[in-house]
């Protein structure tokens, strides 16, 4: 498989071309977990994968989070991820041990260990049993109980509560997010063995992001290459030939043969399609560095300024940066193109900005940086 075909298949499999998900929650279910530390842009990343005629705006995606149809928590590597209620429990059970090991030194440094941590978790659980709580409310509850945690210690206590299946995202409270009791938002489910859970995660990763390498899954999930290779082999053996391997630039990639055939039958979109992707979109973060498929010809590596953060893509290749900012009444979309755009690309860019405007529900002003080359 050539690199250009790899892009086409991934764009299709990821729902960026033949868009079919019925809702933002369905997008999350398909991906299993979606990186989401940039909260509003991550919601845009879900919405853009729903067909235009029923694409949700920010208020609708936020309402799905309020209702618990989409949950947000620290899982896998860990960083913030969107997950579905049906997947939250087994994902946390699978990855918590590895995350605890990674966090252990920080638990000790911040005092989130031993009796203090146990008492802190009990206080958090008691507070969440009564209602959804903001960070400030949980901090106050700890203070009143004589077990204060502040700064980084408070952050790690809340992450510990997530990993121990005590807390998970709750409904919004004005402009603030809350935590809720894990068992309130996550339905009970039969436990999975570690092997079965890892195999399921690997299989769904291949289906939703393939073709992928073992390094891609290891980087995305946080599991070792040994774990990855064992899971990929098991998934391939159990797939009845549906999960196959293909060579791309000398590297073995695993893919769902049916999904790849469907992508090839779709034939791709006309040249000049623009995608305004959030920086941690799964089309970017679903794969290990250096992510050569993203690179434009003649550019050795993408530039990573602090602002603008997000990726302006043309036909699956980076062509610049962008970022939305809002003051609650108006929004600005900052564009930093790396090259001149064709008339077709300019039309596609304008259409994508219009979709961002509709999603935000605010009038948008475009600020475009002049080319320097």
């Amino acid at each position: 498989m050539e690199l250009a075909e790899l892009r086409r298949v991934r764009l299709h499999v990821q729902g960026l071309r033949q868009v079919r998900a019925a809702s933002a929650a369905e997008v999350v279910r398909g991906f299993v977990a979606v990186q989401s530390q940039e909260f509003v842009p991550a919601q845009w990343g879900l919405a853009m994968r729903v067909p235009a005629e029923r694409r949700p705006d920010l208020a609708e995606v936020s309402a799905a989070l309020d209702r618990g149809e989409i949950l947000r928590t620290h899982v896998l590597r860990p960083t913030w991820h969107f997950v579905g209620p049906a997947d939250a429990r087994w994902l946390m059970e699978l990855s918590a041990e590895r995350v605890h090991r990674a966090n252990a030194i920080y638990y000790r440094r911040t005092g989130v260990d031993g009796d203090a941590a146990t008492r802190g978790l009990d206080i958090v659980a008691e507070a969440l049993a009564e209602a959804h709580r903001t960070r400030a409310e949980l901090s106050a509850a700890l203070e009143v109980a004589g077990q204060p945690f502040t700064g980084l210690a408070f952050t790690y206590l809340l992450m510990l509560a997530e990993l121990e299946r005590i807390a998970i995202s709750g409904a919004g409270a004005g402009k603030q997010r809350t935590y809720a009791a894990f068992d309130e938002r996550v339905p009970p489910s039969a436990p999975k063995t570690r092997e079965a859970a890892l195999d399921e995660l690997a299989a769904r990763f291949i289906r939703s992001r393939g073709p992928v390498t073992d390094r891609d899954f290891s980087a995305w999930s946080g599991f070792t290459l040994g774990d990855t290779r064992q899971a990929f082999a098991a998934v391939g053996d159990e797939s009845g030939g549906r999960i196959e391997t293909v060579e791309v630039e000398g590297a073995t990639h695993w893919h769902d043969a049916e999904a790849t055939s469907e992508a090839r039958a779709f034939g791709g979109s006309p040249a000049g399609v623009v995608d305004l992707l959030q920086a941690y979109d799964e089309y970017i973060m679903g794969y290990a560095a250096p992510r050569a498929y993203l690179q434009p010809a003649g550019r050795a590596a993408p530039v990573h300024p602090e602002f603008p953060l997000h990726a302006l893509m043309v036909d699956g290749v980076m062509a610049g940066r962008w970022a939305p900012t809002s003051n609650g009444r108006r929004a600005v979309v900052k564009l930093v193109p790396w090259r001149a755009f064709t008339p077709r690309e300019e039309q596609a860019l304008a259409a994508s900005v219009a979709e961002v405007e509709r999603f935000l529900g605010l009038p948008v002003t475009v600020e475009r940086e002049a080319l320097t080359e």
Side-chain angles (χ1 to χ4, degrees):
M1 183 181 290
E2 299 294 329
L3 196 59
E5 185 179 12
L6 176 73
R7 290 192 197 98
R8 287 197 299 271
V9 174
R10 284 179 172 175
L11 287 166
H12 185 276
V13 168
Q14 287 232 1
L16 290 169
R17 289 298 175 265
Q18 194 173 10
V19 183
R20 291 173 297 186
S23 66
E26 186 174 309
V27 174
V28 174
R29 287 194 295 272
F31 276 124
V32 190
V34 176
Q35 194 163 330
S36 64
Q37 64 264 48
E38 291 287 319
F39 189 48
V40 171
Q43 292 177 76
W44 161 244
L46 303 181
M48 68 185 297
R49 288 173 164 86
V50 178
E53 63 272 14
R54 58 173 180 268
R55 183 167 295 155
D57 61 15
L58 177 59
E60 292 173 283
V61 180
S62 295
L65 281 152
D66 288 346
R67 293 190 297 267
E69 296 167 9
I70 302 169
L71 300 170
R72 187 172 183 244
T73 192
H74 288 88
V75 73
L76 298 175
R77 292 187 299 281
T79 188
W80 285 110
H81 282 81
F82 291 140
V83 297
D87 292 319
R89 191 177 299 275
W90 69 266
L91 277 176
M92 197 64 78
E93 290 171 349
L94 173 64
S95 63
E97 179 185 355
R98 286 189 59 81
V99 178
H100 280 321
R101 288 203 299 270
N103 284 353
I105 187 171
Y106 301 103
Y107 293 153
R108 291 193 298 271
R109 286 178 179 175
T110 57
V112 182
D113 60 358
D115 291 341
T118 300
R119 178 60 181 144
L121 292 178
D122 288 343
I123 295 165
V124 169
E126 290 166 7
L128 296 181
E130 298 175 356
H132 295 193
R133 302 292 189 184
T134 64
R135 287 175 63 94
E137 289 169 337
L138 289 173
S139 179
L142 290 161
E143 183 77 32
V144 168
Q147 193 71 53
F149 285 83
T150 60
L152 199 57
F154 180 56
T155 296
Y156 273 100
L157 178 69
L158 293 183
M159 190 185 300
L160 182 63
E162 292 174 301
L163 295 168
E164 290 300 306
R165 280 83 80 193
I166 291 169
I168 201 163
S169 62
K175 294 184 178 181
Q176 299 183 69
R177 302 306 302 179
T178 68
Y179 286 84
F182 188 91
D183 289 339
E184 175 196 335
R185 305 281 267 185
V186 180
S189 59
K192 300 178 186 288
T193 66
R194 184 181 186 277
E195 181 181 10
L198 191 58
D199 288 356
E200 178 174 345
L201 185 63
R204 292 171 67 180
F205 180 82
I206 293 169
R207 288 199 299 269
S208 60
R209 296 168 180 83
V212 293
T213 67
D214 50 11
R215 287 185 63 249
D216 293 331
F217 181 72
S218 179
W220 175 82
S221 68
F223 288 95
T224 66
L225 279 171
D227 283 335
T228 298
R229 289 164 182 161
Q230 184 174 349
F232 274 24
V235 167
D237 289 343
E238 295 167 5
S239 72
R242 180 168 174 171
I243 302 299
E244 300 178 342
T245 60
V246 62
E247 296 297 310
V248 183
E249 297 197 330
T252 299
H253 288 62
W254 298 72
H255 69 120
D256 183 311
E258 290 185 16
T260 299
S261 295
E262 184 180 283
R264 286 168 170 159
F266 177 66
S269 302
V273 176
V274 173
D275 296 296
L276 295 177
L277 299 186
Q278 65 117 346
Y280 304 103
D281 191 272
E282 291 302 313
Y283 182 68
I284 300 169
M285 300 307 296
Y287 310 98
R291 306 184 179 98
Y293 65 98
L294 293 176
Q295 309 309 318
R299 198 175 190 110
V303 179
H304 291 287
E306 291 185 4
F307 182 86
L309 177 67
H310 306 297
L312 194 169
M313 315 292 295
V314 178
D315 298 329
V317 178
M318 286 190 70
R321 292 281 184 177
W322 77 287
T325 58
S326 167
N327 63 9
R329 297 183 302 277
R330 300 188 62 83
V332 174
V333 169
K334 173 81 170 181
L335 300 175
V336 182
W338 290 348
R339 60 168 175 80
F341 284 8
T342 67
R344 181 191 291 273
E345 291 169 351
E346 290 289 358
Q347 291 178 351
L349 176 59
S352 294
V353 171
E355 281 297 307
V356 171
E357 181 175 51
R358 194 189 71 79
F359 171 75
L360 294 174
L362 298 170
V364 163
T365 299
V366 175
E367 294 181 358
R368 184 165 180 161
E369 187 172 296
L371 291 173
T372 57
E373 298 179 4

